Amino acid sequence: MEAMRLQVSDLVHLLPELTLVIAAVVLSVLDLLLPNRVNRKFIGWLTLVSLIISGVFVVLQLNPAESIELLANSYRVDDFASLMKLVFIVGTGFVVYMSFSYVKKDEIYHVGEYYYFMLPATLGAFVMASSADLITLYVGLELLSITSYIMVALRKKSQRSNEAAFKYLVMGAIASAIILYGMSFLYGISGSTNLVDIRAAIASNFHSYEMIVYIASFLLIAGLSFKIAAAPFHAWAPDVYEGAPTPVTSFLAVVSKAAAFAMIFRMIYVLFAVGTYQEVADAVMLALSVIAAAAMIIGNVTALRQHSFKRLLAYSGVANAGYLLVPITAHFSTAHFSNFSEFLYYLIAYLFMNIGAFAVLMILERSTGSDQISGFAGLYHRAPYTAGAMTLIVLSLAGFPITGGFFGKLYILLGAMETQHYWLAAIMLATTVIAYYYYFGIIRQMFMRSGDESETIKVPLTLGVTAWICAIIGVGLGFFPHVILNALEKIFSLTKDLLLLS
Amino acid sequence: MLDNFPILSLIAFSPLLGVLILLFIPKHLGHLHKTVAIVITLISLVLAGVLFVNFHTDGSGMQFNESYDWISFALNHELIGQVTSLSFEMKYSLGVDGLSVAMVFLTALVAAMAAMASVFIKKRWKLYFILFLLLEVGMFGVFMAQDLFLFFIFFELTLVPMFFLIGIWGYMNREKAANRFLIYNGLGSAIMFIAFLILVSTAGFTQIQSAGEWKIFYSGDIQNIMFNLFQNPQSYANLADPNNVFYLSTELRWTIFIMLIVAFGIKLPIFPFHTWMLKVHTEAPPATVMIHSGILLKMGAYGLIRFGILFFPAEAYQIGWVFALLGVINILYGAILALVQKEFKLVLAYSSISHMGIVLLGLAAFNEIGIQGAIFQLVSHGLISALMFLIVGSIYERTGTTELSRLGGLAKSMPFMCGILLISGLASLGLPGLSGFISEFLAFLGAFETHKVFTIVALLGVILTAVYILRAVLQITFGAISEENTRLLDARLIEAIPMITLVAFIVLLGIYPSVLNGVLEQTVGDFGYFITNVADKIGG
Amino acid sequence: MSGSITPYLMLAAILFCIGLFGALTKKNGVVVLLSVELMLNAVNLNLVAFSKFGAIPSLTGQIFTLFNISIAAVEVAIGIAILILLYRNKGTADVTEIDSMKR
Amino acid sequence: MYTNHYIVVAIFVVLSIILALAAFVLGRILRPYKPSDPKYTTYESGNEPVGEGQIRFNIRYYLFALMFVIFDVETVFLYPWAVAYNKLGLFALVEMCIFVVLLAVGLLYAWKKKVLEWNSV
Amino acid sequence: MLHLLTEQLTWTNFAIFCAVAVALLLFVLVWVMLEIYFERKILGAMQFRIGPNRVGPFGLLQSAADVFKLLIKEDTIPRKAEKQLFVFAPILTFLPSFSIMAVLPYADGFLHADINVGLLYALSLSGISTVGIILAGWSSNNKYALIGGMRSAAQMISYEIPIIISVVGVVMMTGSMNIRLIVEGQAGYFWNWNFLPQIIGFVVFVIASVSELNRTPFDLPEAESELVAGYHVEYSGFRFAFYMLAEYIYMFVFSALIVLIFLGGWNAPFPQLDFIPDVIWFLIKVCCIIFFLIWLRATLPRVRLDQLMGLGWKVLLPLSLLNIFVTAAYMGIKSWIIGG
């Protein structure tokens, strides 16, 4: 009984989370108590600072001698979680930083809220990454989702924003309910909400509950596919992305998605990867790979027809969700156990590519007032440096060497090959080629079309900086992938951090 | 002399120096940009010449090897027994054999000429030359890379600048052409990439077991893969066992092989995949087409030889007749369609298809002479087509058209250029004494040994070639002159230099083939020995 | 007290399906939210049934249910708030008219 | 038998329904029925009713409903904790402190955002 | 009664349960009539009037007469009303009020049902009546009724939260939500009762109860002067009677809850008074509370709506939250002193 309980000493391990909670509370109170005339921008800076502090704590927690298990192993501070948390922190940090140039008083009325809502959302993502228990997983998921619903709706007077928020809410809630339904069955067969116990229950009496295990896992997969916006459960994504304020869109595209992936990864691998019946693992992986394939095909093909860059990014996000699913479905083979590094590396690349793309989109939105792809026309003449950054970002998104996107795909493909998922790899490459068409469409617009050349675009500082940082890191990732990957291999332990084989 | 000198890296990345310089030159100094670019390409050319001269003609295998660990990272091996390390390795490793040296020199030459021919470019010099030089880096790299991934990276590196070059500086339908180029080649490289990856995950899997150490790694190193495939019967790729996931089964071998053929076939282009190339040839700016037709197409053939045939000699040997058939189809199809074209550019485009058919036919022979002929044809066609497109560019700049019916009698107004055109036409149709003759002769000679019927049919193509080339060239030079064509100026110096240089090399190859032959001999010999040896072992 | 779990699971499944159907087909935004709540409550029923008659009965299911209840409440609160916002800007709560982003 | 308690509860529920039904049935038997049109019009201080009866009412009601939902459900966590308070340690109290402080921040938020001000009917 | 509850259920037991329940129902009906009679009488006295004195001795049968009048009155349903809901609403309002009584213990061993979440049951059921009131307001299709209904609902939900949170302290001290156990936890005399350590909770609970009951000074939903009669403006006859019935049963219920939770239930305040039976003590205390409620009505003016809401959210809710920690501190100090 005593092990169940949280001790004061355990709080040290929760410092990143506590930082976020305290910052969120303090900032909200601060926002409330300050008079209206005070500019709320400094709350954004404080948000950024608290994110960084939290990030420092996460870094300090990296590579512990022994993974820390809190509350009877329902909350884990291990390297899987810490690495994912770093991704969330970096993503959210960029989103906040970009927002400084985006938030305008006449559109977003609650500037304070806009900034500090990022904190509980990130906290939700943290909880999703750290949990090994259905309850905490679900709570984290909802904390993230519900905060995101609000953030999408923050452009109060914009009908699109409202519509997007409502759609997101309904779809998100349905997905949550489906996930929950699956979870309830897992609980039913094991009498426990702890993932390790559930795995043991599946392993010990699989045959008496075969049907329920299948139902539960497919419900989970369906629900989580909603959350990562993988086809065929992606219908909400384009509308929501379009309607949301652009920094929030990038938050959804990067942090929300990454968090849902963390949850999928943890659940699928703890429950099914090892120590259970091969047949159920195979079935789950097959289902995931079908979703991955569908996401890649539908995402890329539909993206071809988009005129709005935001929607295009949404569909590209769908396709990327498919790519990111590949290392998860690849499972293991004789000499292939590096699913997580493949996944994480591409996720990092995806983070920078997407954030960069959104930064450029925001620059365009500010100058042209719309998010149409045609707005890129002649960008090379109007803002050559931005166009340069965008070219690098787009090349990375398209997966051209030598960029992070290329190497990310390379590792994922290599993993798929090593596990004999040839068809999946083939689909991935074929759809990548399809993607060339629309990614290079943007390049075409920037370099080959002439827009209104007389009008030069004023690039806001934070957006320009973000775009260039992302472009440089995107390319740097391509040249020195081994730096990250070797570090990752040193830090991350498959058996201890992901499979929880104790 | 050059044994420990990183000459290859120097060549490959010498254009980058130019890129750096160009970045710091303000936009409006157009001529300065051009001068820098030309100088840089000339430097590369000189370096390539040094390489060519220093190449040990009697050395077998790769020379001037440079190999550095570039990307090497650990993979997770917690669940694999006593293995001490599992890693993935991607080396920065360059090396050249005779084939590569020939292609590198060709690249440097054509690129330098194309840089000079870039007078036709009227806008955005800076970006143009930056991209041009990047393209050159990619092309050098492709011919030198000794690692599958490195090869792929350089291969892709040629795509992007080319896309821009076509899309920005091309003619009316440039964007469409650029797109088509991108998608077709992208598809090709994707297929190639799949094949590479399967190779790496099977034949690239190597283990080294020594006292207490058990290292295994995946690598894309070409030598390593060759070693695992052919010399090492204990490598996992060769151990038939249903549980061995690294086993390269016969089906898998065939799959990879066919994928490679398709991938490089698109680039070459082999008959059903050729449509994109016509668009590029008609829409791209002349200097770009020089590069494209002169070198980029050769990358397909190079890949076909280096990866298709040398990795899977037995398979290639078994379907040698398919190669021959495809070669014949290419020759005849290209020739017949070239015959009916009304536009000079299209004539040349189809002629390229036809000439690439000869390469295929030569390869299909699977003997030394055939292969030598094929490689000769690569070089020779590279020179000839570059020259032809250079002239086309000059003519187009002056007349604004390349339609045969609207050109004619240009010999009167610009005799020099027409003379060059005539020479190149003659070279193209294989007049003895010019490079075209040697290559076609060798290729047909080789092919006749193995595929008699196909070769005889293919010879028809040679006659057709003569017909369409003469038809077009004579129409341009001696046909009825139209009013507006009388006052055209002849070639400027900046055009004349590349023309003369290219002609010089064509003639040199024609009358003294040993220049090239010396370099190729040992390599081709190795290839031929290797193929027959392996094919015999398989019993093909 | 002998109980079989099947009826509870059946009821939960039926409720869940009704909720899902309603959430996907109903026109009125409020009804959609109600349907979502119905789905969540079906799950709660499931959990409570399992916690009593499951393979290994335990209290955890009930605790899970408590969490679900509160989360569902928050969700519906936000949902209503957004719906009100939408109604103010658009003048309707009919979800079939939420289509300003269709091309 | 613990169920007995709930059976008693059920009896009470049924009984109250029976009472209601009985009263209405009894009333139907006893009361007169003399319909006339004015009896069936909506009452509006004797005037003719103007407009719709089901008018749009103030948004404030919704806000209070939302507040209620949040705070009412949070008690779900307070009660189990309160019941087990004696068995839990000091740390549980600290945790509940945090929880209640968060609730209080929520209240403060609503307060400052003037949700709690009632400014019309 | 208690021992029957622990036995296997038989038809005899079931019949006994039913009989006891019916007995309680009859008692409640009589009680309500008396309540109304005394309210009018006391109000009269406080206002220097006589109050009902014509029907029966001292006017005791006045309420019975009123009920009979309502019973034989013509019952109209407005044409525009939503008929089903209109009919259903009063039942829904009444039903929980009586059902709550199932869990109230009246004396040691004298109770109907002994549920271990009795408190929660009582408080949550009282919330259901709100739905009936909103339904009434909505289905009448009348502006007054609608506004009255909404107001009433807003008021009730606003005050439900302080009520619920204010008893958390009691639950902490008792460690149970069983009402019987809560009373047993206060066994002894008045210094053992909860209202002393729980003084904040007690005050909050009493004030919020008054509001829950829609009684002066918080009787805004009915505010005759502005809303005619609030949500039941369209109701007449016996449907109307049910609202009154529910209201007066709630008066009893909440008084009983105050007594049970805070005022020691059936325990005598002084050792000297132990000779008086438990049930009588319980009833005496309830009567006192009811008297207090009537007294309030006679004394205080009606508050404004914004004051009402402000009081609930800005005063009572924070106070009730504070109460939790005060209780925790109190218990900590107490156990520290005792544990030494």
Side-chain angles (χ1 to χ4, degrees), chain A residues 69-385:
Chain A
E69 300 172 357
L70 303 174
L71 298 165
N73 202 10
S74 65
Y75 200 83
R76 298 177 55 87
V77 182
D78 54 20
D79 290 323
F80 173 84
S82 298
L83 291 167
M84 293 305 295
K85 282 175 194 173
L86 283 180
V87 172
F88 304 147
I89 288 276
V90 173
T92 319
F94 271 117
V95 170
V96 172
Y97 185 62
M98 287 196 291
S99 303
F100 293 137
S101 307
Y102 176 85
V103 176
K104 282 179 275 182
K105 194 78 179 163
D106 54 343
E107 204 170 49
I108 288 173
Y109 299 85
H110 305 287
V111 180
E113 276 88 344
Y114 174 87
Y115 286 119
Y116 66 69
F117 269 163
M118 302 277 176
L119 296 171
T122 317
L123 179 68
F126 273 29
V127 176
M128 285 163 81
S130 261
S131 297
D133 189 283
L134 299 184
I135 298 178
T136 34
L137 275 173
Y138 182 68
V139 171
L141 176 70
E142 286 300 286
L143 181 55
L144 172 61
S145 308
I146 289 173
T147 329
S148 317
Y149 304 150
I150 303 173
M151 290 200 294
V152 172
L154 269 178
R155 286 197 300 175
K156 254 170 85 175
K157 291 284 157 73
S158 153
Q159 197 171 305
R160 290 189 159 200
S161 182
N162 300 339
E163 284 187 10
F166 191 69
K167 263 182 204 179
Y168 190 30
L169 181 119
V170 170
M171 285 303 177
I174 292 174
S176 297
I178 291 174
I179 293 172
L180 204 54
Y181 199 42
M183 284 178 168
S184 76
F185 284 116
L186 287 182
Y187 166 71
I189 54 170
S190 64
S192 163
T193 48
N194 193 295
L195 293 182
V196 178
D197 295 346
I198 295 172
R199 172 173 65 196
I202 296 175
S204 60
N205 39 21
F206 171 62
H207 288 296
S208 28
Y209 302 119
E210 198 172 343
M211 208 56 223
I212 292 184
V213 173
Y214 281 123
I215 291 174
S217 45
F218 291 137
L219 283 171
L220 280 177
I221 290 174
L224 286 168
S225 304
F226 257 113
K227 296 280 179 189
I228 58 169
F233 308 106
H234 66 291
W236 58 273
D239 289 353
V240 173
Y241 281 27
E242 190 182 345
T246 312
V248 175
T249 310
S250 58
F251 181 87
L252 295 183
V254 176
V255 181
S256 275
K257 193 171 278 200
F261 264 111
M263 188 167 161
I264 293 188
F265 218 122
R266 178 86 88 178
M267 289 193 77
I268 299 292
Y269 272 70
V270 173
L271 291 181
F272 303 114
V274 288
T276 46
Y277 285 79
Q278 189 62 37
E279 50 191 293
V280 65
D282 286 346
V284 169
M285 299 300 176
L286 181 67
L288 273 179
S289 58
V290 169
I291 286 174
M296 291 188 275
I297 294 172
I298 295 175
N300 278 321
V301 171
T302 325
L304 292 176
R305 289 184 296 148
Q306 302 307 317
H307 300 295
S308 150
F309 187 54
K310 243 177 167 178
R311 288 180 85 86
L312 186 143
L313 279 175
Y315 282 110
S316 127
V318 173
N320 275 304
Y323 302 149
L324 280 167
L325 270 177
V326 173
I328 300 181
T329 70
H331 205 194
F332 301 140
S333 85
T334 315
H336 174 255
F337 297 95
S338 52
N339 311 48
F340 181 66
S341 353
E342 287 159 16
F343 166 78
L344 190 67
Y345 181 81
Y346 191 74
L347 184 66
I348 293 171
Y350 171 78
L351 183 155
F352 286 108
M353 302 184 300
N354 251 32
I355 297 272
F358 277 109
V360 176
L361 170 65
M362 272 182 256
I363 295 174
L364 273 188
E365 272 183 339
R366 274 175 65 103
S367 73
T368 62
S370 86
D371 57 1
Q372 295 298 300
I373 293 175
S374 51
F376 279 101
L379 189 67
Y380 173 71
H381 304 286
R382 294 189 285 165
Y385 291 104

Side-chain angles (χ1 to χ4, degrees), chain D residues 38-112:
Chain D
K39 281 183 185 171
Y40 290 94
T41 49
T42 306
Y43 172 76
E44 203 161 303
S45 308
N47 297 328
E48 282 291 310
V50 180
E52 273 298 300
Q54 290 166 350
I55 47 171
R56 282 170 71 173
F57 39 83
N58 198 332
I59 193 82
R60 301 253 153 226
Y61 290 107
Y62 285 114
L63 292 178
F64 277 96
L66 294 182
M67 293 282 292
F68 168 73
V69 168
I70 303 298
F71 277 91
D72 203 34
V73 171
E74 299 319 315
T75 55
V76 162
F77 295 103
L78 279 174
Y79 271 96
W81 168 78
V83 169
Y85 176 72
N86 280 323
K87 300 186 199 94
L88 299 171
L90 180 66
F91 199 80
L93 177 67
V94 176
E95 283 174 318
M96 196 42 75
C97 270
I98 296 169
F99 181 74
V100 172
V101 166
L102 286 178
L103 272 189
V105 170
L107 186 64
L108 180 68
Y109 185 88
W111 196 329
K112 274 286 173 182

